[in-house]
Amino acid sequence: MGDWSHSIFGCFDDLGTCVVTYFIPCYTYAMNAQKSDTTNCLVAAILFFVPFVNIFCWLKIRGNIREKYHIEGGVVSDLMMILCCGLCALVQEAQQLDEDPMAAAAGVVRN
């Protein structure tokens, strides 16, 4: 099992994603949902604005990312990240999904 390629406070590792997420979090949320094969971009963008459903979907997105990249963790840790550091969690997910797909398939984790 591996770790996230960027820490939860590694937002500024990708300043562009950080700025977009700060001003338009529904966009990053929707793109993460699509890239993680959770749901399509349009549905996710709409779900972002539905209370409680957005958190459930977000947990599913983080779970799919952890599964795809063989990252340790669980629902409780994901929920804490979402509730305490939501924007940072979105950026962390986006950075992970932008990693090299061949490295993910081989289970290689960059630090």
Side-chain angles (χ1 to χ4, degrees):
M1 286 290 182
D3 236 348
W4 293 90
S5 60
H6 299 268
S7 74
I8 191 68
F9 299 113
C11 299
F12 297 109
D13 294 347
D14 180 358
L15 191 58
T17 301
C18 183
V19 170
V20 168
T21 302
Y22 181 78
F23 289 106
I24 316 168
C26 61
Y27 174 79
T28 305
Y29 179 90
M31 293 306 295
N32 290 349
Q34 184 168 320
K35 290 178 183 177
S36 67
D37 297 324
T38 305
T39 187
N40 72 46
C41 191
L42 181 60
V43 171
I46 293 168
L47 291 177
F48 180 81
F49 295 102
V50 180
F52 302 109
V53 174
N54 57 1
I55 293 175
F56 177 79
C57 185
W58 200 344
L59 288 170
K60 184 68 176 157
I61 292 167
R62 279 188 75 88
N64 286 353
I65 294 169
R66 281 189 299 98
E67 184 178 314
K68 180 178 180 179
Y69 290 88
H70 310 289
I71 298 171
E72 292 183 38
V75 174
V76 175
S77 63
D78 288 345
L79 184 61
M80 294 309 295
M81 291 299 168
I82 290 168
L83 296 178
C84 297
C85 308
L87 295 177
C88 293
L90 279 176
V91 173
Q92 182 186 45
E93 295 160 13
Q95 290 172 334
Q96 188 70 45
L97 290 166
D98 289 340
E99 289 290 307
D100 180 17
M102 294 307 290
V108 175
V109 178
R110 289 190 221 160
N111 287 324

